[in-house]
Amino acid sequence: MDQLDLWTDTATRSAIVDFVERVDRDGIPVAERVAVFDNDGTLWTEKPVQIQMQFVFALWAKMADADPSLASQQPFKAVVDRDFGWLSDAVDKHYAGDDTDMKTLMAGTVRASAGQEVEAYTASAKAFLDSGTHPSLGIPFARCVFAPMVELLRYLEAHDFTTYIASGGDRDFMRGAGEDLYAIPRERVIGSSLGLRYADGNVSYAPEMGFFDDGPEKPVRIWSRIGRKPLLVGGNSNGDVPMLEFCRDDGLQLLVHHDDGDREFAYDAGAEEALKAAADKGWTTVSMRDDWAAVFPDSET
Amino acid sequence: MDQLDLWTDTATRSAIVDFVERVDRDGIPVAERVAVFDNDGTLWTEKPVQIQMQFVFALWAKMADADPSLASQQPFKAVVDRDFGWLSDAVDKHYAGDDTDMKTLMAGTVRASAGQEVEAYTASAKAFLDSGTHPSLGIPFARCVFAPMVELLRYLEAHDFTTYIASGGDRDFMRGAGEDLYAIPRERVIGSSLGLRYADGNVSYAPEMGFFDDGPEKPVRIWSRIGRKPLLVGGNSNGDVPMLEFCRDDGLQLLVHHDDGDREFAYDAGAEEALKAAADKGWTTVSMRDDWAAVFPDSET
């Protein structure tokens, strides 16, 4: 699969193919052919709530089962009551500048994993993704990836690019599944992390956030991991703007636009600045509706 | 070069070859064949002072040239006066529990790079290593690597291992040279870092330390970068003990012992706990004197 069969014959597809042909023609060294993609909303669906959070909700439900006193406290209460409005409002309020509920949500996320050994956590995340189903799309999580983007990963690799994920989501959650979902190995998954502690031969999660890999932290983490500016960067939201700016001058920036309410979800919320930056700076906007022949794998849509 | 020709026919060489043959025989998946090596004192010489510090000294000398008032302040004064005793004492005191001069030294190190863009720094480090000569060994920095260890890197890679550096030294300094010295690419160099800042499409060093990749931080950084426990770990000092402990149960730990005063340097200082741990836990100690047919590349010694 080294062709872009799932991309319709539009200016977007041409921009990608022309760029990759130029990279080959100019003989840009293989070591410099680094392609970095955001994950949520860029490589797989992020609505109505990020898939990682659905994993966290399952952990909270188990915790509230084990300790019923949690059922009256947020964020556990929202999961026990199936009050997904509280959870999505927390995220919306965060983007609107009010962090109160987001802090409660993050504290619950930290608490769900604190003390756990890192390899065990990665394995449990993989088991969740292998077995679960998306609540509103009704398809397995493993099929929530955007098939044209997976095809693009393979196309780039066929042209000697090395592909990375730089996610705002939890790094170790995605590592458990990245190999199966995207054929991207663990060492090429960059993302947020809880604090880590070493003791007695093992690394475990600390009861505190480590860092949040979003916005200006993304280029910092990309440099820390890779040691190069990327030659291609793909994103979809405001938090991806610094990473898109951190692309080489001779590189390509792709911004996935969620404009396909029939096949996925249509929304600009959280992407307003990114869409404006794409227009101002000449980044290539990918219309899910117009540029993709299919959205999810093994489907006619 | 997939043989261990520079390793004499001792129990150490047999332990390495037997281990690698077992990995092949047991069919340990290629993705899990991760080998991680400390750098200073493990892959190249670290005496009488770490090579990175010689780069920093050169930066300090330039700074004192540009601003003569610095010549009366430590750590700049030590370099201007060629008082290398003050500098090595600072490190010795640090290991003895007194951090006063080490803090002065670190503050100077931070100041030497603060504000610089990361790629420019990496390029200047490479230029330094390409052109400089080791002050006491009298050989180019490029030949300060331990030839049997470079041979071991290639031997492991020939058996489908992926090799990494996990250095207590500065990550971006080693990235500039790791490709030439060891044929290890930038994304496989883990190490300490100054703080990083993103602005206007570039990442630069902040006027503060980011983290110091030594002791218990080493397994944390290895996990963060790779997402796996290593199958082989090589080190030489007390700061490498946690990383050596973070090896898989079916893995191999190598501890390089500096016992060759004729060909390199003979010292146990800073390695006392590591040598004791190796004896207690059955790690493989590498005697530079007995196990290596040569120490440096292209030499008879």
Side-chain angles (χ1 to χ4, degrees), chain A residues 257-277:
Chain A
H257 186 203
H258 292 264
D259 58 0
D260 193 335
D262 291 336
R263 297 188 298 181
E264 200 239 9
F265 302 97
Y267 57 98
D268 287 350
E272 304 87 345
E273 294 161 32
L275 289 162
K276 183 173 182 313

PDB file of all heavy atoms in Angstrom, chain A residues 257-277:
ATOM      1  N   HIS A 257      -9.322  19.026   8.370  1.00  0.00           N
ATOM      2  CA  HIS A 257     -10.507  19.827   8.681  1.00  0.00           C
ATOM      3  C   HIS A 257     -11.707  18.896   8.820  1.00  0.00           C
ATOM      4  O   HIS A 257     -12.066  18.186   7.880  1.00  0.00           O
ATOM      5  CB  HIS A 257     -10.735  20.862   7.572  1.00  0.00           C
ATOM      6  CG  HIS A 257     -11.836  21.823   7.875  1.00  0.00           C
ATOM      7  ND1 HIS A 257     -12.522  22.505   6.904  1.00  0.00           N
ATOM      8  CD2 HIS A 257     -12.400  22.212   9.046  1.00  0.00           C
ATOM      9  CE1 HIS A 257     -13.440  23.278   7.452  1.00  0.00           C
ATOM     10  NE2 HIS A 257     -13.386  23.113   8.757  1.00  0.00           N
ATOM     11  N   HIS A 258     -12.354  18.940   9.978  1.00  0.00           N
ATOM     12  CA  HIS A 258     -13.506  18.063  10.254  1.00  0.00           C
ATOM     13  C   HIS A 258     -14.786  18.701   9.708  1.00  0.00           C
ATOM     14  O   HIS A 258     -15.516  19.364  10.426  1.00  0.00           O
ATOM     15  CB  HIS A 258     -13.611  17.791  11.755  1.00  0.00           C
ATOM     16  CG  HIS A 258     -12.483  16.950  12.252  1.00  0.00           C
ATOM     17  ND1 HIS A 258     -12.581  15.586  12.394  1.00  0.00           N
ATOM     18  CD2 HIS A 258     -11.213  17.257  12.578  1.00  0.00           C
ATOM     19  CE1 HIS A 258     -11.431  15.096  12.806  1.00  0.00           C
ATOM     20  NE2 HIS A 258     -10.576  16.090  12.930  1.00  0.00           N
ATOM     21  N   ASP A 259     -15.009  18.467   8.430  1.00  0.00           N
ATOM     22  CA  ASP A 259     -16.152  19.099   7.740  1.00  0.00           C
ATOM     23  C   ASP A 259     -17.090  18.038   7.172  1.00  0.00           C
ATOM     24  O   ASP A 259     -17.817  18.293   6.227  1.00  0.00           O
ATOM     25  CB  ASP A 259     -15.638  20.022   6.627  1.00  0.00           C
ATOM     26  CG  ASP A 259     -14.771  19.285   5.614  1.00  0.00           C
ATOM     27  OD1 ASP A 259     -14.568  18.058   5.783  1.00  0.00           O
ATOM     28  OD2 ASP A 259     -14.284  19.923   4.668  1.00  0.00           O
ATOM     29  N   ASP A 260     -17.059  16.840   7.766  1.00  0.00           N
ATOM     30  CA  ASP A 260     -17.823  15.724   7.210  1.00  0.00           C
ATOM     31  C   ASP A 260     -18.776  15.148   8.257  1.00  0.00           C
ATOM     32  O   ASP A 260     -18.508  14.108   8.863  1.00  0.00           O
ATOM     33  CB  ASP A 260     -16.836  14.657   6.698  1.00  0.00           C
ATOM     34  CG  ASP A 260     -17.525  13.623   5.822  1.00  0.00           C
ATOM     35  OD1 ASP A 260     -18.749  13.417   5.980  1.00  0.00           O
ATOM     36  OD2 ASP A 260     -16.833  13.026   4.977  1.00  0.00           O
ATOM     37  N   GLY A 261     -19.899  15.856   8.457  1.00  0.00           N
ATOM     38  CA  GLY A 261     -20.875  15.427   9.457  1.00  0.00           C
ATOM     39  C   GLY A 261     -21.559  14.121   9.085  1.00  0.00           C
ATOM     40  O   GLY A 261     -22.100  13.432   9.946  1.00  0.00           O
ATOM     41  N   ASP A 262     -21.553  13.773   7.808  1.00  0.00           N
ATOM     42  CA  ASP A 262     -22.188  12.509   7.402  1.00  0.00           C
ATOM     43  C   ASP A 262     -21.341  11.305   7.785  1.00  0.00           C
ATOM     44  O   ASP A 262     -21.840  10.330   8.318  1.00  0.00           O
ATOM     45  CB  ASP A 262     -22.403  12.489   5.881  1.00  0.00           C
ATOM     46  CG  ASP A 262     -23.473  13.480   5.452  1.00  0.00           C
ATOM     47  OD1 ASP A 262     -24.327  13.809   6.307  1.00  0.00           O
ATOM     48  OD2 ASP A 262     -23.430  13.926   4.293  1.00  0.00           O
ATOM     49  N   ARG A 263     -20.047  11.365   7.496  1.00  0.00           N
ATOM     50  CA  ARG A 263     -19.208  10.187   7.707  1.00  0.00           C
ATOM     51  C   ARG A 263     -18.470  10.202   9.040  1.00  0.00           C
ATOM     52  O   ARG A 263     -18.045   9.167   9.532  1.00  0.00           O
ATOM     53  CB  ARG A 263     -18.218  10.043   6.547  1.00  0.00           C
ATOM     54  CG  ARG A 263     -18.919   9.819   5.200  1.00  0.00           C
ATOM     55  CD  ARG A 263     -17.941   9.498   4.094  1.00  0.00           C
ATOM     56  NE  ARG A 263     -16.987  10.600   3.860  1.00  0.00           N
ATOM     57  CZ  ARG A 263     -16.042  10.573   2.924  1.00  0.00           C
ATOM     58  NH1 ARG A 263     -15.894   9.489   2.162  1.00  0.00           N
ATOM     59  NH2 ARG A 263     -15.231  11.604   2.756  1.00  0.00           N
ATOM     60  N   GLU A 264     -18.241  11.434   9.598  1.00  0.00           N
ATOM     61  CA  GLU A 264     -17.580  11.514  10.906  1.00  0.00           C
ATOM     62  C   GLU A 264     -18.283  12.570  11.737  1.00  0.00           C
ATOM     63  O   GLU A 264     -19.447  12.400  12.078  1.00  0.00           O
ATOM     64  CB  GLU A 264     -16.067  11.790  10.749  1.00  0.00           C
ATOM     65  CG  GLU A 264     -15.246  11.412  11.985  1.00  0.00           C
ATOM     66  CD  GLU A 264     -14.481  12.572  12.594  1.00  0.00           C
ATOM     67  OE1 GLU A 264     -14.678  13.728  12.192  1.00  0.00           O
ATOM     68  OE2 GLU A 264     -13.660  12.314  13.502  1.00  0.00           O
ATOM     69  N   PHE A 265     -17.647  13.698  11.995  1.00  0.00           N
ATOM     70  CA  PHE A 265     -18.266  14.789  12.735  1.00  0.00           C
ATOM     71  C   PHE A 265     -17.841  16.081  12.055  1.00  0.00           C
ATOM     72  O   PHE A 265     -16.741  16.162  11.512  1.00  0.00           O
ATOM     73  CB  PHE A 265     -17.803  14.804  14.200  1.00  0.00           C
ATOM     74  CG  PHE A 265     -18.073  13.528  14.954  1.00  0.00           C
ATOM     75  CD1 PHE A 265     -17.090  12.557  15.100  1.00  0.00           C
ATOM     76  CD2 PHE A 265     -19.331  13.298  15.509  1.00  0.00           C
ATOM     77  CE1 PHE A 265     -17.348  11.377  15.793  1.00  0.00           C
ATOM     78  CE2 PHE A 265     -19.603  12.125  16.209  1.00  0.00           C
ATOM     79  CZ  PHE A 265     -18.606  11.160  16.350  1.00  0.00           C
ATOM     80  N   ALA A 266     -18.704  17.087  12.089  1.00  0.00           N
ATOM     81  CA  ALA A 266     -18.346  18.393  11.520  1.00  0.00           C
ATOM     82  C   ALA A 266     -18.222  19.403  12.653  1.00  0.00           C
ATOM     83  O   ALA A 266     -19.183  19.633  13.390  1.00  0.00           O
ATOM     84  CB  ALA A 266     -19.403  18.852  10.510  1.00  0.00           C
ATOM     85  N   TYR A 267     -17.012  19.944  12.823  1.00  0.00           N
ATOM     86  CA  TYR A 267     -16.804  20.940  13.891  1.00  0.00           C
ATOM     87  C   TYR A 267     -15.564  21.769  13.587  1.00  0.00           C
ATOM     88  O   TYR A 267     -14.571  21.249  13.074  1.00  0.00           O
ATOM     89  CB  TYR A 267     -16.660  20.273  15.264  1.00  0.00           C
ATOM     90  CG  TYR A 267     -15.532  19.254  15.357  1.00  0.00           C
ATOM     91  CD1 TYR A 267     -14.286  19.596  15.889  1.00  0.00           C
ATOM     92  CD2 TYR A 267     -15.713  17.938  14.926  1.00  0.00           C
ATOM     93  CE1 TYR A 267     -13.257  18.660  15.979  1.00  0.00           C
ATOM     94  CE2 TYR A 267     -14.686  16.995  15.012  1.00  0.00           C
ATOM     95  CZ  TYR A 267     -13.467  17.363  15.541  1.00  0.00           C
ATOM     96  OH  TYR A 267     -12.459  16.435  15.620  1.00  0.00           O
ATOM     97  N   ASP A 268     -15.632  23.050  13.924  1.00  0.00           N
ATOM     98  CA  ASP A 268     -14.448  23.915  13.867  1.00  0.00           C
ATOM     99  C   ASP A 268     -14.004  24.321  15.268  1.00  0.00           C
ATOM    100  O   ASP A 268     -12.914  24.897  15.416  1.00  0.00           O
ATOM    101  CB  ASP A 268     -14.738  25.195  13.061  1.00  0.00           C
ATOM    102  CG  ASP A 268     -14.835  24.910  11.567  1.00  0.00           C
ATOM    103  OD1 ASP A 268     -14.491  23.777  11.160  1.00  0.00           O
ATOM    104  OD2 ASP A 268     -15.258  25.810  10.825  1.00  0.00           O
ATOM    105  N   ALA A 269     -14.839  24.024  16.273  1.00  0.00           N
ATOM    106  CA  ALA A 269     -14.489  24.439  17.638  1.00  0.00           C
ATOM    107  C   ALA A 269     -13.152  23.821  18.037  1.00  0.00           C
ATOM    108  O   ALA A 269     -12.934  22.626  17.886  1.00  0.00           O
ATOM    109  CB  ALA A 269     -15.587  24.001  18.613  1.00  0.00           C
ATOM    110  N   GLY A 270     -12.270  24.648  18.543  1.00  0.00           N
ATOM    111  CA  GLY A 270     -10.936  24.182  18.930  1.00  0.00           C
ATOM    112  C   GLY A 270      -9.949  24.199  17.786  1.00  0.00           C
ATOM    113  O   GLY A 270      -8.776  23.897  17.977  1.00  0.00           O
ATOM    114  N   ALA A 271     -10.426  24.550  16.581  1.00  0.00           N
ATOM    115  CA  ALA A 271      -9.535  24.576  15.420  1.00  0.00           C
ATOM    116  C   ALA A 271      -9.531  25.951  14.742  1.00  0.00           C
ATOM    117  O   ALA A 271      -8.954  26.111  13.675  1.00  0.00           O
ATOM    118  CB  ALA A 271      -9.940  23.500  14.422  1.00  0.00           C
ATOM    119  N   GLU A 272     -10.172  26.939  15.381  1.00  0.00           N
ATOM    120  CA  GLU A 272     -10.347  28.246  14.732  1.00  0.00           C
ATOM    121  C   GLU A 272      -9.003  28.880  14.377  1.00  0.00           C
ATOM    122  O   GLU A 272      -8.793  29.355  13.246  1.00  0.00           O
ATOM    123  CB  GLU A 272     -11.136  29.202  15.638  1.00  0.00           C
ATOM    124  CG  GLU A 272     -12.497  28.678  16.085  1.00  0.00           C
ATOM    125  CD  GLU A 272     -12.446  27.825  17.352  1.00  0.00           C
ATOM    126  OE1 GLU A 272     -11.331  27.393  17.742  1.00  0.00           O
ATOM    127  OE2 GLU A 272     -13.505  27.597  17.961  1.00  0.00           O
ATOM    128  N   GLU A 273      -8.083  28.901  15.344  1.00  0.00           N
ATOM    129  CA  GLU A 273      -6.766  29.525  15.099  1.00  0.00           C
ATOM    130  C   GLU A 273      -5.961  28.727  14.076  1.00  0.00           C
ATOM    131  O   GLU A 273      -5.214  29.297  13.275  1.00  0.00           O
ATOM    132  CB  GLU A 273      -5.958  29.591  16.404  1.00  0.00           C
ATOM    133  CG  GLU A 273      -6.550  30.513  17.454  1.00  0.00           C
ATOM    134  CD  GLU A 273      -5.997  30.203  18.847  1.00  0.00           C
ATOM    135  OE1 GLU A 273      -4.825  29.786  18.948  1.00  0.00           O
ATOM    136  OE2 GLU A 273      -6.762  30.356  19.825  1.00  0.00           O
ATOM    137  N   ALA A 274      -6.104  27.398  14.141  1.00  0.00           N
ATOM    138  CA  ALA A 274      -5.362  26.548  13.205  1.00  0.00           C
ATOM    139  C   ALA A 274      -5.853  26.780  11.772  1.00  0.00           C
ATOM    140  O   ALA A 274      -5.043  26.878  10.836  1.00  0.00           O
ATOM    141  CB  ALA A 274      -5.520  25.083  13.602  1.00  0.00           C
ATOM    142  N   LEU A 275      -7.169  26.892  11.586  1.00  0.00           N
ATOM    143  CA  LEU A 275      -7.708  27.120  10.244  1.00  0.00           C
ATOM    144  C   LEU A 275      -7.279  28.489   9.715  1.00  0.00           C
ATOM    145  O   LEU A 275      -6.930  28.627   8.537  1.00  0.00           O
ATOM    146  CB  LEU A 275      -9.242  27.006  10.275  1.00  0.00           C
ATOM    147  CG  LEU A 275      -9.758  25.564  10.472  1.00  0.00           C
ATOM    148  CD1 LEU A 275     -11.217  25.562  10.924  1.00  0.00           C
ATOM    149  CD2 LEU A 275      -9.593  24.745   9.180  1.00  0.00           C
ATOM    150  N   LYS A 276      -7.250  29.473  10.617  1.00  0.00           N
ATOM    151  CA  LYS A 276      -6.806  30.809  10.215  1.00  0.00           C
ATOM    152  C   LYS A 276      -5.312  30.786   9.849  1.00  0.00           C
ATOM    153  O   LYS A 276      -4.901  31.364   8.832  1.00  0.00           O
ATOM    154  CB  LYS A 276      -7.069  31.798  11.350  1.00  0.00           C
ATOM    155  CG  LYS A 276      -6.698  33.224  10.989  1.00  0.00           C
ATOM    156  CD  LYS A 276      -7.116  34.208  12.071  1.00  0.00           C
ATOM    157  CE  LYS A 276      -6.780  35.648  11.648  1.00  0.00           C
ATOM    158  NZ  LYS A 276      -5.423  35.820  11.108  1.00  0.00           N
ATOM    159  N   ALA A 277      -4.508  30.114  10.681  1.00  0.00           N
ATOM    160  CA  ALA A 277      -3.069  30.033  10.402  1.00  0.00           C
ATOM    161  C   ALA A 277      -2.817  29.321   9.081  1.00  0.00           C
ATOM    162  O   ALA A 277      -1.937  29.721   8.304  1.00  0.00           O
ATOM    163  CB  ALA A 277      -2.348  29.304  11.544  1.00  0.00           C
TER     164      ALA A 277
END
